[in-house]
Amino acid sequence: MTTLMAIALRSYNPDDFERLYEVDQACYEPAIAYSRRELRNYLRFPGADCIVAEADKNLVGFILTAHGKSWGYIVTIDVLAPYRRTGAGSLLLAEAERRLAAAGVREIGLETATDNSSAIAFWRKHGYRKTGVKKAYYPGGRDAFSMNKLLT
Ligand SMILES: CC(C)(COP(=O)(O)OP(=O)(O)OC[C@H]1O[C@@H](n2cnc3c(N)ncnc32)[C@H](O)[C@@H]1OP(=O)(O)O)[C@@H](O)C(=O)NCCC(=O)NCCS
C-alpha cells in the first residue's frame, strides 16, 4: 500500500525564519544556499511573498516570490529530499502562481542552475521555457538558465 503524505500550505510568518533557513541549507549545496542575510533580504523584496508547505505540522518546503506590476519572479522553491516527488513542489508553485496572477502578474521568470536536471524537469512540466543562459550566475561560477512562463 502507498501512503500519500498530506501536505498543507500556509503563508510564511516571521517565526518560521530559522526553519526556512535550515530547509534552504539542506536543499542546496553551500555555494548556492542563501545566507541568513540574503534570505532576510529576499523576504523584504518588493512584492515578496512566501508560502510554506507542512507535513504533519513540520515545515518541509517553501516557495519565495516577488513581483512588480505585471512581472513576477521566483526567488527559490525548496522541498526537503524525503518529501520530493509527492507533489509538494507542484502545490507550492500552483499557489504562488495563483497569488501572482491575482496581483496582476502576467509573466513569471526564474533562474536555475544549468546542471540542476530535476529542477529543469520540474519547471518544464509546469510550462516554463528557457530564455537564455547567464554565465557564472552563481557564487562558485555555475551557469544558470533563465526561464519564464506567460500566465494566461
Ligand atoms: C525542484 C523541486 C522543488 C521539485 O519539488 P517536488 O516536490 O519534488 O516536485 P513534484 O513532486 O511536484 O514534481 C512535479 C514534477 O516535476 C518533475 N520532476 C520533479 N523532480 C524531478 C526529478 N528529480 N527528475 C525528473 N523529473 C522531476 C516531474 O515531472 C514531476 O512529476 P512526476 O513526479 O509525476 O513525474 C525539488 O526537487 C527541490 O526542492 N529541489 C532542490 C531545490 C531546487 O533545486 N529548487 C529549484 C531551483 S530553481
Side-chain angles (χ1 to χ4, degrees):
M1 190 179 86
T2 307
T3 310
L4 283 179
M5 186 95 49
I7 295 286
L9 303 185
R10 66 169 173 78
S11 291
Y12 166 83
N13 71 65
D15 290 342
D16 297 320
F17 181 80
E18 204 51 35
R19 178 64 180 160
L20 215 65
Y21 172 73
E22 283 171 14
V23 169
D24 192 66
Q25 291 288 313
C27 283
Y28 292 98
E29 62 187 80
I32 291 188
Y34 294 136
S35 65
R36 287 186 178 82
R37 187 196 183 104
E38 287 170 317
L39 194 53
R40 248 184 226 108
N41 285 342
Y42 285 127
L43 286 161
R44 292 185 193 128
F45 258 26
D49 187 25
C50 182
I51 304 161
V52 305
E54 290 183 320
D56 215 8
K57 305 259 187 227
N58 290 316
L59 197 163
V60 298
F62 69 96
I63 186 166
L64 177 53
T65 61
H67 73 88
K69 204 159 187 242
S70 63
W71 201 80
Y73 186 70
I74 296 174
V75 176
T76 190
I77 180 169
D78 301 27
V79 174
L80 287 176
Y83 298 90
R84 290 180 195 158
R85 298 306 286 271
T86 64
S90 299
L91 281 177
L92 284 165
L93 180 61
E95 176 61 8
E97 289 181 347
R98 190 191 67 74
R99 292 185 185 192
L100 288 168
V105 166
R106 291 286 156 262
E107 180 175 355
I108 302 178
L110 61 93
E111 268 83 34
T112 193
T114 54
D115 59 0
N116 191 346
S117 54
S118 47
I120 293 164
F122 175 79
W123 295 122
R124 287 186 60 79
K125 170 150 190 187
H126 291 291
Y128 289 77
R129 296 292 171 253
K130 293 174 192 167
T131 56
V133 179
K134 290 185 174 170
K135 289 281 174 198
Y137 176 77
Y138 293 103
R142 304 240 305 270
D143 300 340
F145 287 125
S146 296
M147 301 183 83
N148 82 347
K149 176 179 178 176
L150 298 178
L151 299 180
T152 47

